[in-house]
Amino acid sequence: MHGASKRITLKTLRPGASEFAPASSSPVFVPTTDGKVLNPMSNATLFSPLQAGELHLSNRIAMAPLTRNRSPNAIPRAITATYYEQRASAGLLITEGTAIDPQAQGYADVPGLYSTEQLDGWRKVTSAVHAQGGQIVTQLWHVGRVSHVDLQPEQQAPVGPSAVPAHTKTYLINKADGTGHFSPTSVPRALKALELPGIVHSFVQAARNAVETAGFDGVEIHAANGYLLDQFLKDGANQRTDDYGGSIENRARLLLEVTRALADAIGGGKVGIRLSPVTPANDIIDSHPQPLFDYVAQQLAPLGLAYIHVIEGATGGPRDIADRPFNYSQFKDAYRMAGGKGAWMVNNGYDRAMAEAAIASGHADIVAFGKAFIANPDLVERLRTGAPLNAWDQSTFYGGDEKGYTDYPRLNAQTSG
């Protein structure tokens, strides 16, 4: 799309009349040739339903994946089911990052998808959410180099595209007294090319476990925030000289192999993917993110994915990064112009006014909220009515029990109190 004298662009149409897709269906894209990508105003609101692939959303508000470190032995507990059930009014719940296999673990007490006990725990979660009419997907996670030997099988080194350490920290728990603390990550070893099909297989098996056994409505591939797939994408972490390093096409290879394999295994309409073009999270950087992610968008377009989940700016930080400019509209256009029809989800620092504007302008189909959902299990109703939000207690974000997890008050409780 760079330097083209004439471009095929996309416009959203409602069959038969208006230029907007109906709120309850997936967008229909019709090419125009005026050389300009149109981003028409939408008649949808945050509270309009949406069909995203095979996911049926009652509104356009998603709960972002949020690591909470409350699953000892990687097994979701009863309070995990309560936590997600309380927030089931979201159009879509995306679980905390969930390890696809033991090597994928990078933080203490995060859940997994590779043992019978873990899947039994997740089945209780999905049953509770479905009983409330909610939709829930799980985020498939391989942390790569963002781990510690104490979290790895047999205390082996974490893995990555190259033996380049991440100058960041992970969360460990002292087994003697149960206290948690942050510790620098361990130096990784470079994955051998012959190991990469095994990584793809672990993602596929985890996806099948999630949908076929644990009862999830779909999965989200975690390809953001400096974790394994993001490490392969970005040249700050990937120094390989084989078919998985060097060029944009090579660095995107593993991500695309994983995504295509999952689409084949469970259906693209049950698969979303999370991307973070310029976040510095976990010491990640790429020298030229725009052409990299435009290419990724173009390659994802034919796969029939349910949604693309984009972190705009620095994860949990500023939306604009001075030394990392990025054109998110161009990124989205690359996806749409290549035929991508998945819902476009945005995330990072959105409040009610910003979210409403993003939906109304056509910038996004779905807006994901993070910390606001931690403190407000009934966030959808609070946004709908303009009610004030509970403040979150950051000291209870990671580890612990019900405090700061399932004990935040709902509106009706505050009113009756």
Side-chain angles (χ1 to χ4, degrees), residues 70 76-84 86 125 400-402 405-406:
R70 284 169 166 85
R77 297 189 288 167
I79 59 170
T80 312
T82 301
Y83 172 72
Y84 286 108
Q86 289 175 339
V125 172
D401 49 24
E402 290 85 353
Y405 191 55
T406 58

Side-chain angles (χ1 to χ4, degrees), residues 235-258:
D235 55 20
N238 186 340
Q239 298 180 0
R240 301 175 75 95
T241 57
D242 61 5
D243 288 346
Y244 291 86
S247 68
I248 284 175
E249 293 80 4
N250 283 356
R251 285 183 280 124
R253 191 180 305 278
L254 183 61
L255 178 148
L256 295 173
E257 288 178 348
V258 167

Side-chain angles (χ1 to χ4, degrees), residues 136-387:
I136 183 169
V137 301
T138 188
Q139 189 186 66
L140 304 183
W141 197 14
H142 194 309
V143 301
R145 66 179 185 166
V146 186
S147 189
H148 191 278
V149 293
D150 286 352
L151 300 169
Q152 290 291 301
E154 301 178 355
Q155 291 202 313
Q156 297 178 17
V159 299
S162 305
V164 178
H167 299 290
T168 187
K169 294 183 178 181
T170 187
Y171 187 76
L172 302 178
I173 291 179
N174 187 326
K175 295 180 180 179
D177 60 12
T179 57
H181 64 280
F182 285 90
S183 177
T185 55
S186 300
V187 176
R189 69 169 180 85
L191 282 161
K192 299 176 183 178
L194 58 80
E195 294 179 276
L196 300 182
I199 298 288
V200 176
H201 174 76
S202 288
F203 271 99
V204 169
Q205 188 59 56
R208 286 180 171 148
N209 288 346
V211 172
E212 297 171 6
T213 303
F216 283 102
D217 299 297
V219 301
E220 177 179 282
I221 299 167
H222 198 346
N225 292 348
Y227 297 114
L228 184 66
L229 297 179
D230 202 26
Q231 292 160 25
F232 268 84
L233 273 180
K234 294 177 179 173
D235 55 20
N238 186 340
Q239 298 180 0
R240 301 175 75 95
T241 57
D242 61 5
D243 288 346
Y244 291 86
S247 68
I248 284 175
E249 293 80 4
N250 283 356
R251 285 183 280 124
R253 191 180 305 278
L254 183 61
L255 178 148
L256 295 173
E257 288 178 348
V258 167
T259 309
R260 290 170 183 144
L262 263 62
D264 288 343
I266 66 171
K270 294 181 180 179
V271 178
I273 188 168
R274 196 180 207 206
L275 301 166
S276 56
V278 296
T279 186
N282 293 311
D283 194 30
I284 199 71
I285 191 170
D286 188 79
S287 57
H288 298 95
Q290 192 77 54
L292 170 62
F293 280 88
D294 288 354
Y295 172 79
V296 168
Q298 292 163 353
Q299 298 304 305
L300 293 175
L303 303 184
L305 302 184
Y307 65 86
I308 310 294
H309 183 178
V310 183
I311 300 171
E312 298 173 338
T315 309
R319 294 174 49 79
D320 296 310
I321 307 175
D323 59 346
R324 301 189 188 192
F326 192 81
N327 187 327
Y328 292 95
S329 294
Q330 178 178 317
F331 177 38
K332 181 182 177 184
D333 291 343
Y335 178 70
R336 294 292 187 222
M337 292 171 67
K341 295 180 173 61
W344 199 260
M345 183 187 302
V346 296
N347 174 245
N348 199 28
Y350 277 84
D351 58 20
R352 178 187 176 187
M354 291 171 61
E356 289 176 334
I359 299 297
S361 68
H363 175 69
D365 302 304
I366 307 168
V367 179
F369 294 83
K371 292 189 287 289
F373 255 120
I374 289 179
N376 298 275
D378 55 352
L379 180 64
V380 173
E381 184 61 23
R382 290 175 185 266
L383 293 175
R384 190 191 307 272
T385 61

